[in-house]
């Protein structure tokens, strides 16, 4: 009995996957609304003339949140298996880590050159 139910459930999953998953339109409309809200926040950062680190931090934060929503819902990553999510999301994350490491190394090199050339050694 349990095995028959398991096979029936597997058949339903295979059929649903073959036909394509159908998600309620409400999810897409809600995400579209959130994207609109975060885009408005991005424009408000410029409207209120925020400057410096605060400005760029807010703009980058809103950009990352919007990108995450798009990848999760519109690219259907929310419903994918964990292995596929790692295969798609891990390489860009590692690129960001390496860019951060290169930025730190570049800053060290820049300040070392300033010290070296400023002392005249």
């Amino acid at each position: 009995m349990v095995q028959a139910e398991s096979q029936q459930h597997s058949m339903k999953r295979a059929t649903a996957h073959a036909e394509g998953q159908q998600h309620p339109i409400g999810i897409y409309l809600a995400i579209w609304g959130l994207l609109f809200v975060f885009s408005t926040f991005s424009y408000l950062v410029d409207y209120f003339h925020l400057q410096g680190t605060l400005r760029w931090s807010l703009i980058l934060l809103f950009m990352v949140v919007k990108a995450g929503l798009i990848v999760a819902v519109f690219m259907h990553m929310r419903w994918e298996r964990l292995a596929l999510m790692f295969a798609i999301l891990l390489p860009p994350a590692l690129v960001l880590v390496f860019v951060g490491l290169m930025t730190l190394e570049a800053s060290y090199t820049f300040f070392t050159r300033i010290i070296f050339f400023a002392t005249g050694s």
Side-chain angles (χ1 to χ4, degrees), residues 46-64:
D46 283 334
Y47 181 77
F48 288 120
H49 302 291
L50 297 176
Q51 296 296 321
T53 306
L54 177 63
R55 174 185 181 191
W56 290 109
S57 298
L58 288 174
I59 289 173
L60 290 174
L61 174 72
F62 296 141
M63 178 189 67
V64 168

Side-chain angles (χ1 to χ4, degrees), residues 44-91:
L44 287 175
V45 168
D46 283 334
Y47 181 77
F48 288 120
H49 302 291
L50 297 176
Q51 296 296 321
T53 306
L54 177 63
R55 174 185 181 191
W56 290 109
S57 298
L58 288 174
I59 289 173
L60 290 174
L61 174 72
F62 296 141
M63 178 189 67
V64 168
V65 169
K66 290 189 308 184
L69 287 172
I70 290 168
V71 168
V73 176
F74 293 112
M75 294 178 67
H76 304 283
M77 291 300 284
R78 180 175 179 209
W79 297 282
E80 291 296 336
R81 285 181 276 160
L82 190 59
L84 183 61
M85 290 189 339
F86 281 148
I88 292 175
L89 298 178
L90 192 60

